[in-house]
Amino acid sequence: MGNRKNRNATCKYKFKGNRYTSKNNTYEIDKNVKSAPTASETKLQNDSKMSSTVENEDKNVIFNLKILSNVISLLCCPECFENKIQLFQESVFGLASNMILKCKNCKFFSSFCTSMKVSKMHNINLSFVFGLRTFGKGHSAARKLCSAINMNFPSKTAFRCLEKKLEHVSNKVACKIMNEAAAEVHKKNNFDEVIQCGVSVDGTWQRRGHLSLNGCVSVISIDTVQVGAHTERGFAQLNEERVSDSKHHSLSEVKTSRKKNRSRKKRKLAKDEIQEGITYK
């Protein structure tokens, strides 16, 4: 009696399909459906993607020489297949260096440069000088920055030579932009031979919270001035607004109100000095 199954217990039946499943394809496996990749396969795919992107990227990375030497010592020599590769620094050109690979066991020898060259100049040095001059800094700032991060820096002569190269290129770009602007004005006047076009010229120093070595000059045509993203107003209208503002400031009533405001501020400042016991300059 004890071995008998309980008849009241519910029996578990196998799923044999319903009206939504086809009877012929219930137990068949679709060979075209790909299974989900395993974790190892995903890691291998990610590693291959990373190696391909690093090879194709053209970026500069700061690398410690001791770490680089330790990594190269793990490599095998292509001739004797021994782990006796040594790294030597042959010469220094600012931020770029010429490196040499030598093998202790055989006569293997190979040299390479840490930066690409553009018209006989190292790209890293040119980019470094361009970046410093972008925010108005010179050789002294380059020396301080490179000394702080323990890196070689270009000499003053090399720095000035790179500045002259950049100046030559910037002059070419400026002339090209001015010629394009002149061609646009010439086109608006139906390509007349002689064109009378007035311009407004203003110049200043580039100031961004520090002393700058760069000067900025803006030239605006009188014909049209772009004010917003899609708005154009004539220079005459802007000139009228400027004249009306200057006339408003020159009125006697406005001058009297400015004098009253200044005297009020002085009295308040003197009162604060007496209360706090501090002299404000």
Side-chain angles (χ1 to χ4, degrees):
M1 295 291 291
N3 294 332
R4 260 187 174 179
K5 291 183 180 179
N6 190 3
R7 293 179 180 178
N8 296 327
T10 57
C11 297
K12 293 183 179 179
Y13 295 99
K14 258 187 182 181
F15 176 74
K16 295 182 180 180
N18 52 22
R19 58 177 178 168
Y20 298 107
T21 58
S22 178
K23 291 183 179 180
N24 297 327
N25 298 330
T26 304
Y27 301 102
E28 290 182 2
I29 299 172
D30 191 0
K31 296 180 180 180
N32 296 327
V33 178
K34 293 183 179 179
S35 59
T38 61
S40 302
E41 188 178 353
T42 307
K43 288 180 181 178
L44 290 172
Q45 288 176 358
N46 292 336
D47 291 341
S48 63
K49 286 179 183 178
M50 288 174 63
S51 62
S52 62
T53 52
V54 170
E55 288 175 0
N56 296 328
E57 283 184 357
D58 186 13
K59 289 184 179 180
N60 298 313
V61 180
I62 298 176
F63 219 107
N64 188 278
L65 283 177
K66 190 178 288 185
I67 296 173
L68 183 61
S69 179
N70 293 334
V71 171
I72 288 175
S73 64
L74 301 174
L75 303 177
C76 294
C77 176
E79 293 183 1
C80 64
F81 303 104
E82 295 289 336
N83 295 337
K84 293 184 178 180
I85 298 289
Q86 286 184 328
L87 179 67
F88 297 95
Q89 190 175 16
E90 183 184 14
S91 56
V92 179
F93 301 95
L95 300 179
S97 300
N98 284 337
M99 312 298 289
I100 296 176
L101 294 175
K102 285 184 180 180
C103 182
K104 288 183 180 180
N105 195 30
C106 64
K107 296 181 180 180
F108 174 72
F109 175 90
S110 179
S111 61
F112 64 95
C113 185
T114 58
S115 175
M116 296 177 65
K117 282 190 175 182
V118 179
S119 63
K120 298 182 180 180
M121 292 183 295
H122 293 92
N123 191 19
I124 184 66
N125 293 331
L126 196 63
S127 302
F128 182 63
V129 175
F130 177 72
L132 286 170
R133 288 313 306 261
T134 299
F135 53 86
K137 292 295 181 179
H139 183 260
S140 59
R143 186 176 66 250
K144 290 177 184 177
L145 175 62
C146 294
S147 301
I149 58 179
N150 196 16
M151 287 182 64
N152 299 315
F153 54 89
S155 63
K156 197 169 185 178
T157 307
F159 197 90
R160 294 288 178 265
C161 181
L162 293 170
E163 280 183 333
K164 287 181 180 178
K165 295 284 185 183
L166 292 171
E167 183 184 4
H168 179 66
V169 175
S170 61
N171 287 335
K172 278 188 175 180
V173 174
C175 291
K176 183 181 178 182
I177 293 171
M178 292 297 292
N179 289 331
E180 289 177 356
E184 185 179 355
V185 175
H186 196 262
K187 184 178 179 181
K188 286 183 178 180
N189 289 273
N190 298 324
F191 299 98
D192 295 335
E193 292 183 0
V194 180
I195 300 171
Q196 293 183 357
C197 177
V199 294
S200 172
V201 183
D202 190 15
T204 182
W205 292 101
Q206 183 188 16
R207 296 187 182 92
R208 294 185 181 274
H210 54 264
L211 297 177
S212 176
L213 302 177
N214 299 337
C216 305
V217 178
S218 61
V219 181
I220 304 173
S221 154
I222 288 179
D223 293 337
T224 54
V225 179
Q226 188 168 355
V227 178
H230 303 287
T231 308
E232 288 190 356
R233 291 190 298 176
F235 185 78
Q237 184 178 355
L238 294 176
N239 194 27
E240 288 177 3
E241 292 178 2
R242 181 181 59 80
V243 171
S244 63
D245 290 339
S246 62
K247 286 181 178 179
H248 177 72
H249 286 295
S250 62
L251 293 174
S252 59
E253 298 86 357
V254 178
K255 288 181 180 179
T256 307
S257 65
R258 284 203 299 267
K259 287 180 181 179
K260 288 181 180 179
N261 291 332
R262 282 197 296 268
S263 61
R264 193 183 301 112
K265 287 180 181 179
K266 285 182 180 179
R267 287 196 299 270
K268 185 180 178 183
L269 186 63
K271 188 177 179 181
D272 293 339
E273 287 178 355
I274 294 169
Q275 289 178 356
E276 299 176 4
I278 300 173
T279 304
Y280 294 101
K281 294 182 180 180

